[in-house]
Amino acid sequence: MANFFKRSIKISEEKHYLHIISQGERTEFGAVLQNAEKIHNAIQSSKKKLILLDYQLTIFKLPHNEAFNLLKVFELKLTDFKEVKMAAIINPRTEEIGSFWASICRKRGFDFKTFQDKDEAINWLLDEH
């Protein structure tokens, strides 16, 4: 049962967006990739174009090169991530890797931004620009 909580995500469909809640430590690339695949499948099933990622209870302990590896998977295999707008609420303890991830995603054409406040994240997500 402990492993379930270590890598758990919960996906729900809200009125305007998919809401993904994650919790636990992410220390292995395989676990991060597995969760990304679950989220990608949910995007394909729901057809929602707005994604709220709640990572407030998640601690990422991965080297920066793993972020690049994940981005490559997004570009080559999980291509629907390029079709959605994603706001991630991150734990302050993971600000460095979260900001790095957001930066490389935006440079590669993904609509992704990190926040530490849920209301700010939702406002940005729902903003039509």
Side-chain angles (χ1 to χ4, degrees), residues 8-61:
S8 69
I9 62 170
K10 178 184 170 198
I11 302 171
S12 60
E13 198 162 322
E14 304 296 330
K15 182 177 180 180
H16 298 291
Y17 55 84
L18 272 182
H19 188 198
I20 290 90
I21 300 173
S22 170
Q23 65 181 39
E25 286 190 356
R26 301 292 184 273
T27 58
E28 301 168 6
F29 180 76
V32 173
L33 180 58
Q34 186 176 41
N35 284 338
E37 289 172 341
K38 288 178 187 176
I39 295 166
H40 188 260
N41 291 340
I43 290 168
Q44 290 178 316
S45 298
S46 78
K47 304 298 182 198
K48 295 275 187 194
K49 297 296 182 191
L50 304 175
I51 314 297
L52 180 65
L53 303 163
D54 186 340
Y55 292 144
Q56 294 177 90
L57 300 176
T58 304
I59 302 295
F60 290 93
K61 294 181 180 177

Side-chain angles (χ1 to χ4, degrees), residues 78-89:
L78 305 178
T79 56
D80 283 355
F81 279 116
K82 201 108 180 193
E83 308 300 320
V84 297
K85 181 178 181 180
M86 295 177 283
I89 312 156

Side-chain angles (χ1 to χ4, degrees), residues 45-120:
S45 298
S46 78
K47 304 298 182 198
K48 295 275 187 194
K49 297 296 182 191
L50 304 175
I51 314 297
L52 180 65
L53 303 163
D54 186 340
Y55 292 144
Q56 294 177 90
L57 300 176
T58 304
I59 302 295
F60 290 93
K61 294 181 180 177
L62 293 169
H64 285 189
N65 68 315
E66 295 290 18
F68 279 114
N69 292 339
L70 186 61
L71 184 61
K72 281 293 188 197
V73 173
F74 279 28
E75 290 176 327
L76 299 173
K77 183 180 176 196
L78 305 178
T79 56
D80 283 355
F81 279 116
K82 201 108 180 193
E83 308 300 320
V84 297
K85 181 178 181 180
M86 295 177 283
I89 312 156
I90 59 172
N91 186 305
R93 289 174 51 197
T94 60
E95 173 68 31
E96 182 188 344
I97 189 72
S99 295
F100 177 73
W101 173 252
S103 173
I104 64 173
C105 282
R106 284 193 304 274
K107 286 177 184 173
R108 298 301 270 262
F110 293 87
D111 197 0
F112 185 89
K113 190 169 179 180
T114 58
F115 300 86
Q116 289 189 17
D117 179 80
K118 185 175 183 176
D119 290 335
E120 284 181 33

